[in-house]
Amino acid sequence: SLIIIIIIYRHELGRQPANTKLAAAKDVRQVRCRGGNIKFRALRLSDGNFSWGSENVTRKARIVDVVYNATNNELLRTKTLVKSAVVAIDCAPFRAWYAQHYGKKIGVKERAGQLTESEDIDDVKRSKNVQSKLSTRNKGHEVAKNVKSQFQSGRLFALITSRPGQCGRADGYVLEGKELDFYVKKMQKKKHAAAEAAAAKASGA
């Protein structure tokens, strides 16, 4: 008979997962690791630094909800923040930056294909130098339609790229282009599947 003896050393033991939750009260613990190194274990987080790649700007934004996780639906239900999770963030910091940088409003609502108000901000006095700068910035500049529609809803979809259980932060970037379309399609597919399952369960009952 073959006897296999497995020896697990103390330094090889893994710790419990952080399972960082989305909550209003921030809670980050320090963990002393091998070699005297310190890890920051986030147990609860409410915000993070998110970058808008096409505009080359980063702002601290409040995380509103966890909307998609490719790994497990349970992480979605419990609002667990992990790397590569898609979250909805408050767009107010980016909206304020856009208004200051371009002198225009973004996310103006549409009705019957027409804007309900003008995008231009005319009630601010500007010097000729500032006006020249703004006109240069606006020349040929256009925000993607799928990003603009998110500004209208007041939320932006973003992907978390940091590891909250290791560095104590939930930072990431705003989804754009084909990547945004991909995740929106995935979310819709999951929503339809959940609705069908609920309908089937109701009819069976």
Side-chain angles (χ1 to χ4, degrees), residues 27 91 104 148 152 155 205:
D27 186 8
C91 73
K104 282 188 170 185
K148 238 180 193 177
Q152 289 172 353
R155 294 181 178 189

Side-chain angles (χ1 to χ4, degrees), residues 8-27:
I8 300 174
Y9 292 99
R10 184 81 187 96
H11 68 268
E12 289 176 338
L13 287 171
R15 291 187 181 89
Q16 288 292 319
N19 290 331
T20 310
K21 296 289 184 282
L22 175 62
K26 191 176 177 181
D27 186 8

Side-chain angles (χ1 to χ4, degrees), residues 68-191:
Y68 181 78
N69 194 308
T71 315
N72 192 348
N73 277 341
E74 191 67 14
L75 299 177
L76 198 67
R77 188 185 66 79
T78 55
K79 298 190 189 302
T80 305
L81 299 171
V82 292
K83 186 178 177 178
S84 297
V86 179
V87 295
I89 62 171
D90 182 21
C91 73
F94 293 103
R95 185 179 274 154
W97 171 83
Y98 191 91
Q100 184 264 327
H101 190 73
Y102 289 104
K104 282 188 170 185
K105 296 173 189 172
I106 188 169
V108 176
K109 293 191 176 178
E110 293 181 12
R111 193 172 291 156
Q114 297 293 321
L115 295 173
T116 54
E117 57 179 305
S118 173
E119 287 185 337
D120 297 317
I121 301 171
D122 300 321
D123 56 347
V124 179
K125 283 187 178 181
R126 300 188 184 99
S127 65
K128 286 184 179 179
N129 183 36
V130 172
Q131 286 174 12
S132 173
K133 271 185 183 178
L134 292 178
S135 62
T136 306
R137 285 173 187 165
N138 284 304
K139 198 174 182 181
H141 175 265
E142 190 65 43
V143 178
K145 198 175 181 182
N146 53 3
V147 177
K148 238 180 193 177
S149 65
Q150 287 186 74
F151 272 102
Q152 289 172 353
S153 68
R155 294 181 178 189
L156 293 170
F157 290 138
L159 193 84
I160 294 176
T161 53
S162 67
R163 299 170 70 192
Q166 303 291 318
C167 66
R169 300 167 69 94
D171 299 339
Y173 62 90
V174 174
L175 291 170
E176 299 179 85
K178 288 183 179 178
E179 192 178 14
L180 174 59
D181 293 336
F182 171 80
Y183 280 112
V184 167
K185 204 174 281 183
K186 285 280 186 185
M187 281 183 259
Q188 287 171 347
K189 195 176 179 182
K190 253 186 183 177
K191 199 178 276 184

